[in-house]
Structures are given as structure tokens and as C-alpha cells.
Amino acid sequence: MDKKGRSRHFIYTDWILIETQFDPEQLHSKETVFTIGNGYLGTRGSFEEGYPQASPATFIHGVYDDVPVVYTELVNCPDWLPLVVIVNGDRFRLDQGEILRYDRQLDLRYGLISRSLRWRSPSGNTIDISFERFASLADPHVLALRCHLTAVDFDGLIEVQASINGYPENQGFNHWEGLDQGKTDQGIWLQRCTRNSRIELGMAAKVTILGTEASLQVNTAPGYPTLSTTFFAKAQQTVTVEKLVTVFTSREIETPVPAAQEKLAHLPDYATLLKANEQAWSEVWQQSDILIEGDSTAAFAVRYNLFQLLIAAPQHDDKVSIPAKTLSGFGYRGHIFWDTEIFMQPLFLFTQPAIARNLLSYRWHTLDGARRKAAHYGYKGAMFAWESAVTGDEVTPRWAIGSDFYGEDVRIWCRDHEIHINADIPYAIWNYWQATGDDEWMQKRGAEVILDAAIFWGSRVEFNPERQKYEIRGVIGADEYHEFVHNNAFTNRMAQWHLEKAIAVYDWLAQNFPERVRELEEKLKLTPEERSHWQDIIAKMLFFYDPLTELIEQFEGFFQLEDINLADYEPRDRSMQPILGMEKTNKSQVLKQPDVLMLLYLMRESADFPYNEKALQTSWDYYAPRTDITYGSSLGPAVEAILASDLGKSTEAYELFMRALMVDLEDNRGNTSDGIHGASAGGIWQAVIFGFGGIQLTENGPVANPHLPPGWTRLKFKLHWQGLWHDFDLHGEQVSPDITRQLEFLQLSLSPNPSLSPPLPTAQSPMPNIKGFIFDLDGVLTDTAELHYLAWKKLADEEGIPFNREANDALRGVSRRASLMLILGDRPYSEAQIQEMMERKNRYYVELMQNMTAKDLLPGAIAFLDELRQAGIKIGIGSGSKNARTVIERLGIGDKVDAIADGYSVEQPKPAPDLFLYAAKQLGIQPEESVVVEDAAAGVDAALAAGMWAVGLGPVERVGAANVVLPSLEGIKWADLKAKLSNIARQKHQGTDK
């Protein structure tokens, strides 16, 4: 069902945005909303005929020029849209005459804007006019526009003027010098050059008239070449005007004007170009589309936000990146922030990895600018600009000039103190490497960025001898309401994380590319002493948090600031900073955007310190109510939606998601006119995939653990990981990781009595109706205990900790973290060291696991599985291991398994019943219809707590609580086991009757 946006005159369908009424009050914001592009350029949704006070703009990647106060800005390029229609002497204008019918559409499938209207001129002539235009995705240098004209109730003269406007302005400032212009056999051309950066632009255009006899005239008024025609229109006769435009700049070719002329001369007709464009878009959407069923607004709006990122993404240029406002508006002057790497890049990383590589290569190309900034501030290495353009030098304006003529200018300190971007960029590079395995790019480019940026941290931190800790003082964190703070948790931990990865990258290079290591050591002056310094910083970085509650302090002294109740200031239509004033805001516990929560989100996927469930819950309870989520930063809602979803707050998660989703379509912050909120658009993709889709990245690729919002019946998408595509088609009826209600039901229905052990799965029927078996892997179908032992042994030996097979026996059925805690005993280790050791042990285990084959199945396992399948019994795997899928693949039993519940499926491990309940739900059976086969006491307890039958394999002292205890699966027949279960049920039932 279609749904109208509030007061925006919008209808949303699956793929098409429809505007039903023209509202001049929303002119500028709608120009942003109807932006089209092709990865080379973006054109705002201005009208072809123009409109008073309009802000038409076409931005081309990399075309920057100097400007007072703000250093440099993305240049508004010559306007290719102008097409004037004059009806019997009356110029068609929406602010004159009468609009009898109006409809404008943006078709996301093909990047196509169309506008259809009926207009009555001041003289009383009625005409139907329709426009259609696109920026070709098949050829980024081609732009196309078509206009249909139908006289409704008159015969008369119609004049059409198709022009190139060589006088575009950046909000009153013209960056272009006119060089030349002229005409060719095909049409007209224009040559322009930016005033300071000396980038040359060539644009050419031609016009074709269909449906009538008409000749074209050329007018080469300076800076405004025009092709015009006049024809006699008859009532109900349709005439079509096609305008094709080509554009090049000296960034990609030495002679842009001849290139534009040459391409124009060989262009096919509009219809052929449109078909090629449609084919190119079909290929992009095949990889990047997200299908949502059950929520029509979200279904369209998610695609809309993806579209706006896709049209701004450089497909063929690795020396540019996506500005914060994409290529859609004048906001932030086209500068590039951390928004690109942290918020926008994941979409491309998992659907268009070549584009993700281009975006990161931009940072490599701009390293010299980052080095110049570091040197300017007296530091070593590379210090990335908070706002960047072409060279990588800092272009954040030093001052913000307010609209108040008598007001004070405001100093912008982000350029000096918001330095977490120096770790944000390496964070994105590391994730690209993990997702793609692109070793060649990493050793040639990525490693240099990570290492040189790490050298900066080595010179930026300060050692506090009293605390015996390293500090980072005088910074601005992700929350920009507080300036000049010390030891911001986000900055300190990201710097520490960065140094950890820098050491890992160095070691990898040294092992695999020794010549490259020597080259970088010489170029960056990277010494063994520097790397030793990094290790010391990692071990001694100051971080404020309470180990008991795990509440993290945003920065040193934050808890001593004045608390603010945001509810006291509602309703409001602006952010808290102008309400409180900058000074009071800086002294209050109010946040512009998530800071601690943002840190937890970035550490979430890898479960790196300080992320864990308790820390997330504690931090959410404290910081979410203090965050100005409505009018602070648009970067916040999508991230908080993901975390709320993790915490089981489905209603709040959806509300936050919708706030981010509609930020431009509904202009709910009142600043859409500045351009698309690119970071929010990227956050939306992450909210859908990682939040509602529950995607987690494993050794075997992405795994879904969905918790779809209420009403969503289907979520379908695909992800690219390590060279392979993974398709996901998730449905609303799938189990959620939050199975609290199921557990409550089980507790009520089972009413366990301690005197009845083990409990009977069902009190209603004495005869079990078994429909499915759920097998643990280790010790049941295969024996990976030896692999685990060897991995733990290697780790323990490296750490100098005594460890033998007897100590290993205590780890059976215990989680990885709990096992490590048993091995470490009371030895002091930091959380970061614990996380690293867990990862190291798992790496050793995975390496050993690669040699597993079907020969590693335990005796009787395959025969019993085959017998169950022949009997029509469903088979599931319930293993707490995050490597379960790899084991199943190595054993060759994937075709015998109907469902897998592994370490990524639920949050609570055994002995909680969650894992087995999840498996039963996937199999489509009830708990009392399930038999769990386990070899560990924790697994048996989990099965019984879930209300399932438990079969224990092994000694009675370990699995004696199970309903049936067997030495192994060897020689076991389903008929015999079923008879045992029936006998137990009969005896229990008789005992109950007495």
C-alpha cells in the first residue's frame, strides 16, 4: 500500500517516488531529494525551465577551487539542464499561468526523473508538457533530456531554447573563467576553467526535434550557447525535443573540449542511451538491492537512500571520495569527513568492493597532505584532515561566520582537535582487507596508511608518570558538543586499537613482503624503537570505566558535569547547543551524537574491548537518554537503531531507524536543502543488514541472526565476502535471538520440581512424538577436542602457562572465554589482551581444522544420521562453536542437516536453553518433539531446561542427568532408542498418576 509523506506531497511505491503537488516553499529541499547522478557527477533536481531563487547545481567529483574563508569547495559546474518553452509568446513558468495537473517522479531503478504537467498560460493556451532526464550510468560523460510537448486546446507557435549555462554559482560565488565556446555540425560547446585550481571543463550539446518539421538556430551569447527552434503546433499533436550533453574535465583527459565534441558526434539516439543506462542500473541493483516486504514506506526509503549513495560513488576514479553531502548540495562545501569511511563505505564493501577500494585509495593518494598537517602541528607521521578535499590538506574552515551581522564569529576547533579520524580511516582499511582478502592492495597502499597514521599516535600521546599511563589530552570526541576534553574514551580506544592492528600489519608484511617492509621502514622512518613504543602505549593507554558496572566514562570528568533532562526542553525544533549556548552545553551531560555507544558499535562485530553485552546495556541506559538524537547529529539515529535492536528494544530500534530513514524524504531536520545526509544513508544500510538482518561475519562468511521489525514479513539482500556472494532471504516468522517469551512459556508449562530429575518433556502425553534430533558436534558426531587441546596448548606455551590434558578436561562444554579464564587463573591480563588471546587460540584451532575430513566422523555417526533421515526425522546441529559450519563442511555432512544453530545464533550459551530452542524453531518443531544428543553436562542441562529429551554420550558421572545415557552412537538404532524413550515416558506417567 502506498503511503504519503507528511506535508511533502509524496507517494512512495516500491521503486518510484511520486510528487503530486508543486510547493515553492520546499523548492530547495526537493531539489536535493530529486538529485540524480552516475558516480562521476550529480545534478540537483532543479527544473529545466528554471524558477526564481532556485539552486541548480551539477557537481563533478574532484572539481574543487579555492574560496575565501573555507579554503576550497566543490565547484558548481555549468548547468546542462536549461530548456525553455515559449507558448504563443508566454514563457512556461511554474510561478505564472496556472498549473492544472502536476506529477514528478524519481524512478530509482534507472536513475530517471520524469515530470508531467498541464499548464495554462496567462493568455489561456493549455499545453501538456513532460520532461524526462538521466545521467547515464553506462557512460558517465553522457547526460540526456527529453521533452514532449502537446498543444491541448490551441494551434500556435511554440519556441524551444536548449542551452548550456556557463555562469553557475556557489551561493553567490562564480568559480569559472570563460575560455571559449562555439558550434559544430552536431550542436554547441562550451569551454570553462576554474579560477585557481585551473581545472578545464568541456561541455557539448545537441538537440533533435521529432514529430514536426523544424530547423535549429545557434545563438552563442557569451557563456550561454543556445540551440533554438520555432514550430507551428496543432492541437493534440505531440512534438518531442531530445537534448544530449557530453562533459569532460582536465582531471581525466588533457583536452576536454575535443573529447566532449567527439563523443557527442558518435552518440546514438535518446532511446538507445536510455536502454544502456537501464541495463547498467540493473546490474548495480542486482548486487546492491534490498527487498523489504510488509512495510511499503521502508521498502522504498531504504532503496532511496542506497540510490543516493550509489550515484555519488566514484566507480572509475580512486583519487576522489564521497563528500558528506554527496554530490547533491552545497553543505560542507563538498568536503570529505569520517562519514565516508565509517558510515558509507560498508555498503560498498559488501556489495561493490571495487568502489570501496577506490574510496580508500583516495586516502592513500592524500597521505602527503596528512603528513603536512602533522608536521604543522609538530607531530610525526600522517595526521588526516578533519575535512579533506583534493590534496589531503586540512580544509575545515577556521571560523564559522554567522548570519547575525553584529554577531561574533565562531572558532571551529575540529580541524585542530577532532583527531579520531586518524584511527577511523585505518579501521575502514582493516575491514576492507578482512572482507576482501585483497593482499595486493594492502601491501601496496593500505599498509602505508595504517603505519604512517600509527606513527602520528606515537607522537601525539603523552605519558603521565603519576598514573603510569598514556593519555591523549585536548581533543574533541565523536560527540562534538564538548571541546578540549582529556582522554575521550572513543579517541583513546580507537588509537589503541589502531596501534594493535598496525603491529599486526607490520608483522604480516615482514613475513610476506619483506622488501615492502624495508621500503616503508626507510620512507616512514619506522624503527624497532617506534614499534616497541606502540606496544607500550597499547599496554598503558588510559581508559576510564568501572570494571564492576562496566560503565564507561565518555571522557575524564564527564560524570562531574551538570546533568540535563532533555525532556524538559521539549517540544523543540533545534539542537540543544543553540538552546543552552555553547559554554553551558560544554559543561553539561548532553551529547550531540553517540560517543561511547559509537565506540561500542565499532567494536561490536569483533567483540573487541570494551564491547560486551553488559557494557552495552549499561552504556545505553546512561548515554542514550542524554543524547540529542532529534536535532543533534544525523549520524546518531541509525547507529542507535542497531544497538537498540541488539538489546531487544524492537519498538525503539524501529523508531530510531525511521528517524534516520526519512531524514531527507521528510526533511525532519529542516536542512535537506543543504544536500543528502550521506552518513545517515550509509547508517541505514548498516541498520538493515547488521541490525535487523543480524548479520555476523564468521570464518565461513556472513551468517544471519535476524530480528525483523514488527510487520516486516521478508528481508532479502546479498553480500560479497572474500570473493563470494552470499544470498539472504529472511522471513518475519524466523526466530529472534530474543526468545524470552518462549522461555517464560516453558517455565510456566513445565513447572519444574527439583524432586523430579530429569524432568519429563511433556506432561500431556506419555508417548513421545519425536520429529527432530539436535546434535552437538564435538564429542557427538566428531571429536575436535584434540584440536582444541592443541590450540590451547600452543597458546599456553606461548604465554608460559602450565597446561596439560588433565587441565583440558575441565574445558569440555565451556565457552572460549570461560575456558581462557580457567587457564589464566588469577594471572593479571587486560581485557584487550584477553580478546587478543581468544582470537589467537581460535586462529590456531581454525588452522588445525582445515585438515578435517569425513574420516573424522565418530563411529556410528553417519549410519545413525542416515537412519533418521530415512525415518523422516529432521536433523539439526546445536553447537556453541562459531566454527560449526566449517566443521560440518569439512565432515561432508551438510546435505544431511536441515538446520544449524551455532555460536552466532543466540547470545546466551549452554547451559541456557536458547541454542536448542533456536534450532527447534528453525526445524519447525516443538521442544517436546525434539531429542538433543550431547556429551557435556552443560548441554544436557540446556536440553532439559528447554523441555526436550536428552541423550547423553559418555560416562554417567558427566551426563547422568540425561533421559538416556549411551557410551557412543556406534551400533545405535532409532527403533531401540525410541523404545527406550517411550518406556521412560510411560514410567514417568505412571509415577505421576500415583
Side-chain angles (χ1 to χ4, degrees), residues 70-130:
V70 294
Y71 300 95
T72 189
E73 66 183 359
L74 199 61
V75 174
N76 187 4
C77 294
D79 187 6
W80 63 278
L81 292 180
L83 195 143
V84 172
V85 177
I86 300 173
V87 180
N88 275 336
D90 289 328
R91 177 171 174 166
F92 163 60
R93 295 173 51 160
L94 289 181
D95 61 332
Q96 293 185 6
E98 186 180 358
I99 303 172
L100 303 177
R101 185 177 67 223
Y102 178 94
D103 176 282
R104 178 163 55 159
Q105 300 187 10
L106 171 59
D107 190 335
L108 305 178
R109 290 170 299 186
Y110 310 123
L112 189 69
I113 285 184
S114 60
R115 183 166 49 117
S116 176
L117 43 84
R118 174 165 289 184
W119 180 72
R120 181 172 295 144
S121 72
S123 302
N125 297 310
T126 306
I127 184 171
D128 286 342
I129 306 177
S130 65

Side-chain angles (χ1 to χ4, degrees), residues 485-555:
V485 304
H486 305 318
N487 297 308
N488 167 250
F490 184 94
T491 305
N492 283 26
R493 176 57 184 129
M494 288 298 291
Q496 182 189 44
W497 179 95
H498 178 186
L499 293 175
E500 293 167 358
K501 301 311 180 191
I503 291 171
V505 168
Y506 177 90
D507 292 344
W508 171 78
L509 277 177
Q511 182 176 353
N512 297 281
F513 302 97
E515 292 184 6
R516 178 60 171 158
V517 158
R518 288 191 290 271
E519 178 185 338
L520 288 176
E521 284 176 335
E522 183 177 346
K523 181 177 182 180
L524 308 181
K525 298 181 176 58
L526 180 55
T527 64
E529 291 76 17
E530 182 74 39
R531 299 196 305 278
S532 177
H533 183 41
W534 292 353
Q535 291 279 18
D536 200 40
I537 296 170
I538 293 169
K540 300 174 183 176
M541 179 64 80
L542 187 58
F543 192 83
F544 289 94
Y545 83 110
D546 185 336
L548 294 177
T549 66
E550 302 207 29
L551 179 61
I552 301 161
E553 188 170 17
Q554 182 171 305
F555 55 80

Side-chain angles (χ1 to χ4, degrees), residues 623-740:
Y623 288 107
R626 292 166 170 81
T627 303
D628 186 2
I629 206 69
T630 52
Y631 290 102
S633 171
S634 64
L635 279 59
V639 169
E640 286 203 358
I642 299 171
L643 299 179
S645 189
D646 284 354
L647 293 169
K649 301 175 181 292
S650 58
T651 300
E652 192 169 354
Y654 185 73
E655 290 174 353
L656 288 161
F657 170 72
M658 290 303 292
R659 182 178 296 280
L661 187 66
M662 309 307 289
V663 65
D664 290 315
L665 287 170
E666 292 188 351
D667 195 13
N668 56 34
R669 288 174 180 264
N671 60 356
T672 297
S673 58
D674 293 336
I676 291 294
H677 292 78
S680 182
I684 286 161
W685 184 88
Q686 295 182 61
V688 173
I689 304 303
F690 299 129
F692 301 143
I695 289 295
Q696 293 176 309
L697 305 173
T698 75
E699 292 91 342
N700 300 311
V703 175
N705 179 21
H707 27 103
L708 305 186
W712 287 27
T713 57
R714 188 184 187 193
L715 173 60
K716 187 174 185 289
F717 55 90
K718 61 168 49 177
L719 301 175
H720 193 266
W721 172 266
Q722 295 284 353
L724 298 175
W725 284 101
H726 300 261
D727 294 294
F728 294 89
D729 196 347
L730 312 176
H731 296 269
E733 65 272 15
Q734 283 187 273
V735 68
S736 162
D738 179 12
I739 54 176
T740 306

